[in-house]
Amino acid sequence: MPGPGPATAFGFPSWLFVLLLLLVAMVGALIVYGIVAGALNRLVGTRYVVFRSLIERTNGVARCGFILLALSFVLPIAPVDPLMADEIHKLMIAGLILLIGWVALLTFNMAADRYVGRLQLSDANNLLARKAVTQVKMLKVIGGCLIITLAIAFALMTFDSVRQFGISLFASAGIAGLAAGIASRSILANLFAGLQLALTQPIRIDDAIVVENEWGIVEELTSTYVVIRLWDLRRLIVPLSYFIEKPFQNWTRASADLLGSVFVWVDYAFPVDEGRTALKAIIEASHLWDKRFWNLQVTDATDKTMQLRVLATAADSSKSFDLRCEIREKFIAYIQRNHPHGLPRLRTDLLRPSPSDGAALER
């Protein structure tokens, strides 16, 4: 005779009854969360922007928390085999650990964003603000990776099979561990480079830098690379380790203001004093000059021309570039208009032949 059929509850097989019970619990948790979230949104309204943003950013973790809470109430009354109940209990613990890690990650990110939001990046001399933003963004990436790694590790440790697998994996690491270390060398190098950049800060967000003969603005810092917005709106992607291992130019390392230089080559016949007077009028009429300093000097002389160097200060790198272009354009136009003989020239002396040269040619 056939054995007894599977255990039933309310006319359903046990596994189907448990599945329906869990499904009802999850749907009920989502309904309760919707009611609570709606009430909070109506209570907060549009007046409390901070609380409304907090509710929006915690939607996902709050839903998972309600579901986990509902399941913790339902599972003890579900007709589940004791062995299966033990595994489900471990799964619930792992879910709780991941939920706590998620809450910690959200709290860490919101605190970092709150701090960054209070900084004034729109100021012309925003060195301290950019320094703080760079540190917070790099530490945010590193801290997020650390929280996620710890949460997953602790969650997996709740299962005996995974724990034993981890122990055996560490025991038999050997060549595989060495190969993995070599393969991840660049990743680890960039990770440690990011930590070093966050602490020492050779570059910061919105710094004007020159990398690989390309001028641009530091637009984004990630855990492995830096995005540089070039002057023509292209994006240059550079690994973090580059800024630790190779030299580069940082035009805004100490302050935003810069001393720009313009070089002009002129003939020896050019009157430098008159040029200095004209240059003063050009620079003082420019709105790009910050009225701190300017100068004109003869910095070099060759067998054909002499080199004039113009120095002028500006509030930031963008204005300095535009100011140098304006000075170069207007000063050359002044030379062309008022001293055309002062432009670089190639001289050739034509000598009249002497009578002795003519006699020599006749022979």
Side-chain angles (χ1 to χ4, degrees), residues 12-26 71 74-75 78-80:
F12 296 101
S14 295
W15 64 269
L16 182 58
F17 177 73
V18 172
L19 186 62
L20 290 175
L21 193 61
L22 296 180
L23 183 61
V24 170
M26 294 174 63
L71 293 178
V74 169
L75 284 174
V80 182

Side-chain angles (χ1 to χ4, degrees), residues 27-102:
V27 172
L30 292 177
I31 292 174
V32 173
Y33 169 75
I35 295 173
V36 173
L40 287 176
N41 283 325
R42 286 191 298 271
L43 182 62
V44 171
T46 57
R47 292 175 298 175
Y48 305 101
V49 181
V50 176
F51 290 104
R52 192 171 188 86
S53 175
L54 180 63
I55 294 172
E56 292 176 355
R57 295 188 65 171
T58 56
N59 267 332
V61 68
R63 284 194 181 95
C64 292
F66 271 79
I67 292 174
L68 195 63
L69 183 62
L71 293 178
S72 66
F73 282 116
V74 169
L75 284 174
I77 63 174
V80 182
D81 180 78
L83 185 60
M84 180 64 68
D86 184 60
E87 294 298 325
I88 294 177
H89 178 68
K90 292 178 180 179
L91 187 62
M92 293 287 293
I93 294 176
L96 180 61
I97 293 173
L98 292 177
L99 188 65
I100 293 174
W102 192 356

Side-chain angles (χ1 to χ4, degrees), residues 221-297:
L221 289 168
T222 70
S223 59
T224 56
Y225 61 86
V226 179
V227 180
I228 302 172
R229 185 180 72 250
L230 302 182
W231 63 274
D232 56 358
L233 301 183
R234 289 178 295 145
R235 266 49 175 190
L236 182 64
I237 311 299
V238 184
L240 286 177
S241 57
Y242 179 96
F243 297 96
I244 303 299
E245 300 171 355
K246 297 183 180 180
F248 62 94
Q249 297 181 37
N250 190 334
W251 290 12
T252 53
R253 179 70 178 88
S255 62
D257 49 358
L258 287 175
L259 179 64
S261 61
V262 175
F263 293 93
V264 180
W265 284 261
V266 296
D267 190 78
Y268 281 97
F270 177 75
V272 178
D273 289 336
E274 292 184 23
R276 185 174 288 111
T277 303
L279 182 64
K280 178 182 179 181
I282 292 173
I283 295 177
E284 290 181 347
S286 175
H287 69 280
L288 299 171
W289 182 52
D290 62 2
K291 298 178 173 53
R292 288 193 301 115
F293 174 78
W294 75 271
N295 193 13
L296 172 65
Q297 291 178 310

